[in-house]
Amino acid sequence: MDKEHEIVVTSRIRLARNLKNYKFPVKMTGEESNEIIDAVNNAIKDKDLNFKLTYMRDLTDVEKFVFIEKHFISPALSENKNNGAFLLSADDKISIMINEEDHIRIQTLGYGMCLNECWEQATKVDDMLEEHLDYAFDKELGYIASCPTNIGTGMRASVMLHLPALSMTNQMDRILFGISQLGIAVRGVYGEGTKSMGHLFQISNQGTLGATEETLIEKISQIVMQIVQKEQITREQFRKNNFDDIEDQIHRAYGILTNARSICSDEAMKLLSYVKLGKEMGIMSKVDNKNLYGLMVEVQPNNILSNANEQLNLKERDKIRAEIIRNKLLG
Amino acid sequence: MDKEHEIVVTSRIRLARNLKNYKFPVKMTGEESNEIIDAVNNAIKDKDLNFKLTYMRDLTDVEKFVFIEKHFISPALSENKNNGAFLLSADDKISIMINEEDHIRIQTLGYGMCLNECWEQATKVDDMLEEHLDYAFDKELGYIASCPTNIGTGMRASVMLHLPALSMTNQMDRILFGISQLGIAVRGVYGEGTKSMGHLFQISNQGTLGATEETLIEKISQIVMQIVQKEQITREQFRKNNFDDIEDQIHRAYGILTNARSICSDEAMKLLSYVKLGKEMGIMSKVDNKNLYGLMVEVQPNNILSNANEQLNLKERDKIRAEIIRNKLLG
């Protein structure tokens, strides 16, 4: 795995699409929403991608949050309790949300920096759907969307970045401010608002109008590469100026993760972030074969709840989280 | 090892003795001090205890501090650079300081609660010396000493206690205040003044006059037993009310100790104290065969310096300390 792919954790493309002759989901009846679910499902089901349809109404709250934590669905879809649904490909890399803010949201996901591949994949799915469905499209404006910010290409390109060195040196606030001036949104990946857990940040375009998809992807990619470079430079500075401190911090993080009997998600994310940094800086070879980002997703609160057979209180959840981490890191 | 011996780490008896016809060490000439060193050495050398004589003037500062950290000599002896000396038995359990505040200070040390054994041993050494030496003794006052607080029996009985549970629950201040009202002194074992490192406390009698040695030892022993009981009760409360937290804290301490690449003595002592508590509460069986108190002594600053071949700065010392701990705990 090259350096760039260690810092860029995932890439995602999302396309917002709506159907002609239907009201936007917020206004539609249950009958209309079912028609759309069926239409999308039928448009996609004979393809090779083995999509599975899931209705929001069939999921418990915990199950919904697990899909959110895994980024398969959005919080907005989970709120459409009666009429929302989604299709997920067998490899978990393509999800099609139905009756979220828009009738259709195609989302493709890949590991590392792969916006172009995601875009190709999303276009392919988009074309499949368009063979059977009648999109709302305006020659001047482009694709019509429920929210004005999504009108135009309807595309959002997102990249999740792991930026421990920039975070530990308090450079993120300045960088985030600079990016926001360029029409790019930055959010912490887990945790509320812009609070970031595990030094994970998601950056994406804010507007979808007035540029082609390729131009938007190119712009995001350039900004991502600049941030990645800054992170790499800061890591090199660590190596030159603070190696002992960083080495100590990383090994302590590993020591706590492999021994704690209880750990909250905030601390777990921070320490896993240190260990991931250590792996990538060649300081911690014993985790070379561990999927640390995968473990970060696995220890999210609802994911833990969903794997337990019983109701758990916070304390029990923290104990199970500690156990999962010990088993994964030592196993 | 029974519970009592886990909490009472060491017992010590010290006897202050002076010779007739000699000035107190603070006033004597180099010639006189050498006469005393020779006289004490000759009085003891044909005995079975294999004493080794060491002159303060032959030691580096670091070497002196190591002997202090191991409690073989006092800081006051180390300050008598020209005229001080001490005899140490081959088993490290008896030291005879010469020309400290008093001409002679016999000190006997044992692990666990063993003041009576230490007292018997000290008396034996005292008798050996008295066969050849003429002690300054007053029928009314008892043994004459340089400092009035040591006149009388000249005996100080000290016990080192490991009190993590009482410390963690902030009960020590109250207990220390209560004890001080009884003519008992309490000091932190390492660290300045009454600051305690590693939750280790040393309690000893303050006066040596107006009671027999046996009475003083009995008094100290009773107080020690009360404190030990309080510590045991608090540990049981941990087990009943806070087991998960304590278990977590102990395992985290072990995780940091076995992984850190740098650690200062204050943190090392605190974490070793937690692990010692964990061993004794049956929470941490993997250290069952480890001498944790020994490790606490070993990681004292001067002890580390003395084992290094070169000058070390603070940072290097903390790195070596971390390495020693990892090797001992994992080895």
Side-chain angles (χ1 to χ4, degrees):
Chain A
M1 197 184 271
D2 61 40
K3 295 279 171 201
E4 172 193 306
H5 275 61
E6 293 170 343
I7 296 171
V8 183
V9 182
T10 58
S11 301
R12 275 191 296 156
I13 291 286
R14 182 269 278 157
L15 302 177
R17 297 289 183 259
N18 285 279
L19 302 185
K20 256 184 204 162
N21 308 324
Y22 282 94
K23 297 179 196 121
F24 284 127
V26 70
K27 299 226 171 185
M28 66 172 44
T29 63
E31 205 175 318
E32 287 168 312
S33 69
N34 281 334
E35 278 179 42
I36 295 182
I37 293 170
D38 290 344
V40 175
N41 193 30
N42 287 330
I44 212 87
K45 77 173 171 195
D46 56 344
K47 305 296 173 188
D48 257 0
L49 298 160
N50 280 317
F51 277 99
K52 186 184 169 224
L53 177 66
T54 304
Y55 289 89
M56 280 306 109
R57 58 177 168 261
D58 294 338
L59 298 179
T60 64
D61 282 348
V62 167
E63 287 169 330
K64 283 181 208 167
F65 279 114
V66 172
F67 286 125
I68 294 174
E69 285 169 355
K70 291 184 171 172
H71 299 288
F72 296 157
I73 68 171
S74 64
L77 182 70
S78 78
E79 280 156 25
N80 194 351
K81 289 178 199 183
N82 297 318
N83 302 330
F86 74 107
L87 288 152
L88 184 67
S89 66
D91 65 359
D92 289 353
K93 291 195 167 171
I94 309 170
S95 81
I96 305 173
M97 291 188 272
I98 311 172
N99 301 328
E100 201 239 29
E101 251 181 53
D102 299 295
H103 295 143
I104 298 171
R105 291 215 165 168
I106 301 164
Q107 185 185 266
T108 52
L109 179 126
Y111 290 103
M113 185 64 197
C114 58
L115 283 177
N116 287 318
E117 291 86 335
C118 289
W119 163 237
E120 278 167 33
Q121 182 68 272
T123 312
K124 217 186 292 180
V125 175
D126 193 29
D127 291 345
M128 288 178 193
L129 291 177
E130 210 169 5
E131 279 178 35
H132 301 269
L133 303 172
D134 215 359
Y135 282 161
F137 186 82
D138 179 278
K139 275 192 183 156
E140 293 294 315
L141 291 171
Y143 292 100
I144 304 303
S146 165
C147 173
T149 59
N150 288 321
I151 291 172
T153 62
M155 187 197 76
R156 175 164 290 161
S158 308
V159 168
M160 191 195 296
L161 297 172
H162 179 232
L163 304 172
L166 291 173
S167 302
M168 290 157 82
T169 50
N170 300 315
Q171 294 184 69
M172 282 312 295
D173 281 349
R174 196 164 41 82
I175 290 169
L176 299 189
F177 179 76
I179 295 170
S180 69
Q181 306 293 89
L182 302 170
I184 302 287
V186 188
R187 290 190 303 278
V189 174
Y190 294 107
E192 279 170 38
T194 56
K195 183 172 164 278
S196 154
M197 273 169 82
H199 310 130
L200 294 172
F201 296 87
Q202 187 160 289
I203 84 168
S204 55
N205 57 311
Q206 278 187 308
T208 61
L209 184 67
T212 65
E213 290 87 344
E214 286 81 2
T215 311
L216 285 169
I217 289 174
E218 182 57 28
K219 185 177 165 186
I220 290 269
S221 300
Q222 278 177 7
I223 291 168
V224 165
M225 283 307 109
Q226 280 179 23
I227 300 175
V228 166
Q229 205 178 18
K230 271 192 212 293
E231 171 74 17
Q232 281 168 339
I233 288 169
T234 310
R235 291 183 184 192
E236 278 317 302
Q237 286 169 344
F238 279 171
R239 194 182 296 285
K240 277 188 203 138
N241 309 328
N242 295 90
F243 187 76
D244 289 349
D245 292 344
I246 285 292
E247 189 194 26
D248 180 47
Q249 209 164 346
I250 286 164
H251 282 282
R252 281 169 177 255
Y254 180 82
I256 294 172
L257 288 169
T258 51
N259 285 278
R261 259 51 186 173
S262 171
I263 193 162
C264 68
S265 57
D266 212 346
E267 185 186 9
M269 290 293 279
K270 191 178 85 176
L271 299 182
L272 284 169
S273 170
Y274 288 155
V275 172
K276 185 171 182 314
L277 175 66
K279 173 181 172 178
E280 290 161 13
M281 284 182 74
I283 291 172
M284 169 122 320
S285 58
K286 51 187 157 186
V287 294
D288 274 354
N289 64 344
K290 305 291 177 189
N291 177 359
L292 297 169
Y293 172 67
L295 190 48
M296 282 176 163
V297 175
E298 207 174 329
V299 299
Q300 291 303 309
N302 288 288
N303 199 43
I304 289 176
L305 285 182
S306 74
N307 287 317
N309 294 323
E310 50 203 320
Q311 291 276 335
L312 298 177
N313 62 31
L314 264 183
K315 229 178 147 169
E316 292 164 331
R317 202 190 296 179
D318 288 351
K319 283 175 77 168
I320 293 181
R321 180 180 293 110
E323 200 182 328
I324 291 172
I325 294 173
R326 288 202 311 280
N327 289 342
K328 285 278 163 158
L329 289 182
L330 297 172
Chain B
M1 198 184 271
D2 60 40
K3 295 279 171 200
E4 171 193 307
H5 274 62
E6 292 170 344
I7 295 170
V8 183
V9 182
T10 58
S11 302
R12 273 190 298 155
I13 292 286
R14 182 268 279 158
L15 302 177
R17 297 290 182 258
N18 286 277
L19 303 184
K20 255 183 205 162
N21 308 323
Y22 282 94
K23 296 176 197 124
F24 284 127
V26 68
K27 298 229 171 181
M28 65 173 43
T29 63
E31 206 175 316
E32 288 168 311
S33 69
N34 281 332
E35 277 179 42
I36 295 182
I37 293 170
D38 291 344
V40 175
N41 192 32
N42 289 329
I44 212 87
K45 78 175 171 194
D46 55 347
K47 306 296 173 188
D48 258 0
L49 297 159
N50 280 317
F51 278 99
K52 188 187 167 219
L53 177 67
T54 304
Y55 290 88
M56 281 304 109
R57 57 177 168 258
D58 294 339
L59 298 178
T60 64
D61 282 350
V62 166
E63 287 168 332
K64 283 181 210 169
F65 280 114
V66 171
F67 286 124
I68 293 174
E69 285 169 355
K70 291 183 171 172
H71 299 288
F72 296 156
I73 68 172
S74 64
L77 182 70
S78 79
E79 280 157 26
N80 194 352
K81 289 179 197 179
N82 297 318
N83 303 328
F86 75 107
L87 288 151
L88 184 67
S89 66
D91 65 359
D92 288 354
K93 291 195 167 170
I94 309 169
S95 80
I96 305 172
M97 290 189 270
I98 311 173
N99 301 327
E100 201 239 28
E101 251 180 53
D102 298 296
H103 295 142
I104 298 170
R105 290 215 165 169
I106 301 164
Q107 184 185 266
T108 52
L109 180 128
Y111 290 103
M113 185 66 196
C114 58
L115 283 177
N116 287 318
E117 292 85 334
C118 290
W119 163 237
E120 278 167 35
Q121 182 68 271
T123 312
K124 217 187 291 179
V125 175
D126 193 29
D127 291 345
M128 287 176 191
L129 291 176
E130 210 169 6
E131 280 178 34
H132 302 270
L133 303 171
D134 215 0
Y135 281 163
F137 185 81
D138 179 278
K139 275 191 183 156
E140 293 294 315
L141 291 171
Y143 292 100
I144 304 303
S146 166
C147 173
T149 60
N150 288 321
I151 290 172
T153 61
M155 187 198 77
R156 175 162 291 160
S158 309
V159 168
M160 192 196 295
L161 297 172
H162 179 231
L163 304 172
L166 291 173
S167 302
M168 290 156 82
T169 50
N170 299 317
Q171 295 184 68
M172 281 312 296
D173 282 349
R174 196 164 41 83
I175 290 170
L176 299 189
F177 179 75
I179 295 170
S180 69
Q181 307 293 90
L182 302 169
I184 302 287
V186 188
R187 293 189 302 278
V189 173
Y190 294 107
E192 279 170 39
T194 57
K195 183 171 164 280
S196 155
M197 274 169 81
H199 310 129
L200 293 172
F201 297 87
Q202 187 159 289
I203 84 166
S204 55
N205 56 310
Q206 278 187 308
T208 61
L209 184 67
T212 65
E213 291 87 344
E214 285 80 3
T215 312
L216 285 168
I217 289 173
E218 182 56 29
K219 185 177 165 185
I220 289 270
S221 299
Q222 279 178 7
I223 291 168
V224 164
M225 283 308 106
Q226 281 179 23
I227 299 175
V228 166
Q229 206 178 17
K230 272 191 211 293
E231 170 74 17
Q232 281 168 339
I233 289 169
T234 311
R235 291 183 185 193
E236 278 318 300
Q237 286 169 344
F238 279 172
R239 194 181 298 285
K240 277 187 204 137
N241 309 328
N242 295 91
F243 187 77
D244 288 349
D245 292 344
I246 285 292
E247 189 194 26
D248 181 48
Q249 208 164 347
I250 286 164
H251 282 282
R252 281 168 177 254
Y254 180 83
I256 294 172
L257 288 169
T258 51
N259 285 278
R261 259 50 184 174
S262 170
I263 193 162
C264 68
S265 56
D266 213 347
E267 185 186 9
M269 291 293 279
K270 191 179 84 177
L271 299 182
L272 284 169
S273 170
Y274 288 154
V275 172
K276 186 172 181 316
L277 175 66
K279 174 181 171 179
E280 290 162 13
M281 285 182 73
I283 291 172
M284 171 126 312
S285 58
K286 52 186 159 187
V287 294
D288 273 353
N289 64 344
K290 306 291 178 188
N291 176 358
L292 297 169
Y293 172 67
L295 190 48
M296 282 176 163
V297 175
E298 208 175 328
V299 300
Q300 291 303 310
N302 288 287
N303 198 40
I304 289 176
L305 286 181
S306 74
N307 287 317
N309 294 322
E310 50 203 317
Q311 291 277 335
L312 298 178
N313 62 31
L314 265 182
K315 227 176 149 172
E316 292 164 331
R317 203 189 297 179
D318 289 350
K319 283 175 76 168
I320 292 182
R321 180 180 292 110
E323 200 183 328
I324 291 173
I325 295 173
R326 289 202 309 279
N327 289 340
K328 285 277 163 160
L329 289 181
L330 297 172

